[in-house]
Amino acid sequence: MSLRGGVGSPSPPSLAVGRRLAKAAKGLRAGLGPPAHADHPECEQYPVPALSHHGCQRTVLLQTAALLGLLLLGYTYFQLLVPDWTSRLRQLGLFCSIFTISMYLSPLADLAKIIQTKSTQCLSFSLTVATLLASASWTLYGLHLRDLYIMVPNIPGILTSLVRLGLFWQYPQVQEKNYSLLQT
């Protein structure tokens, strides 16, 4: 069997697939890509794989380790120091509610920067809509179950999503014109 032709030679579609795979592998070896919002450095948001391209890697890893330590400490507290099952569930619900509320409030940390620059390039519209839908559905589910530990933490998700949608309405995202139109 020869690779140059005849029986057993790869067909043209398989050659194209092989070339695409080789190109993708070369791209992976070249680096993990630019930071998120590379054209807007004021956003200061980086995807995790791109941390090695920036000086903030140690800080982010320390913050992540601190949060994981806090979770481990909370788990240990609930398992070892709270023997009563109903009291453990009540305290665990409060603990999880605080984490959920802080998650929903975290995008508002850039609120002053967005208003100052009058640009919503730091915000993801699709993530805002997804957060609104998810928090609204969890709130309705908690309302249906009459469970405050589900309902109450998701209300800030609805409110912060509405604030972010208001920012998108007030400061619409501008398409950059760094491309040239193809002439046909």
Side-chain angles (χ1 to χ4, degrees), residues 24-153:
K26 183 180 177 185
L28 285 176
R29 284 191 305 266
L32 295 173
H37 311 295
D39 47 345
H40 299 283
E42 72 273 0
C43 296
E44 298 177 8
Q45 295 177 357
Y46 305 102
V48 174
L51 285 177
S52 61
H53 298 287
H54 305 284
C56 66
Q57 179 179 14
R58 182 182 171 122
T59 305
V60 170
L61 290 177
L62 286 174
Q63 290 173 345
T64 304
L67 286 175
L68 287 174
L70 182 64
L71 281 173
L72 184 63
L73 185 68
Y75 176 78
T76 305
Y77 168 76
F78 292 118
Q79 289 296 85
L80 300 177
L81 300 176
V82 184
D84 181 35
W85 182 252
T86 54
S87 146
R88 183 186 298 174
L89 281 179
R90 214 172 322 122
Q91 290 182 12
L92 182 62
L94 182 62
F95 186 72
C96 293
S97 296
I98 291 169
F99 269 101
T100 304
I101 290 170
S102 66
M103 177 194 66
Y104 283 133
L105 295 179
S106 65
L108 295 181
D110 292 330
L111 187 64
K113 196 179 296 184
I114 291 168
I115 292 172
Q116 182 182 17
T117 60
K118 297 183 185 207
S119 171
T120 55
Q121 296 290 48
C122 297
L123 295 177
S124 168
F125 184 77
S126 57
L127 182 63
T128 301
V129 171
T131 302
L132 176 64
L133 294 176
S135 57
S137 62
W138 277 108
T139 301
L140 291 174
Y141 180 67
L143 185 66
H144 179 72
L145 293 179
R146 292 185 178 97
D147 188 342
L148 292 177
Y149 292 118
I150 296 174
M151 186 175 49
V152 171

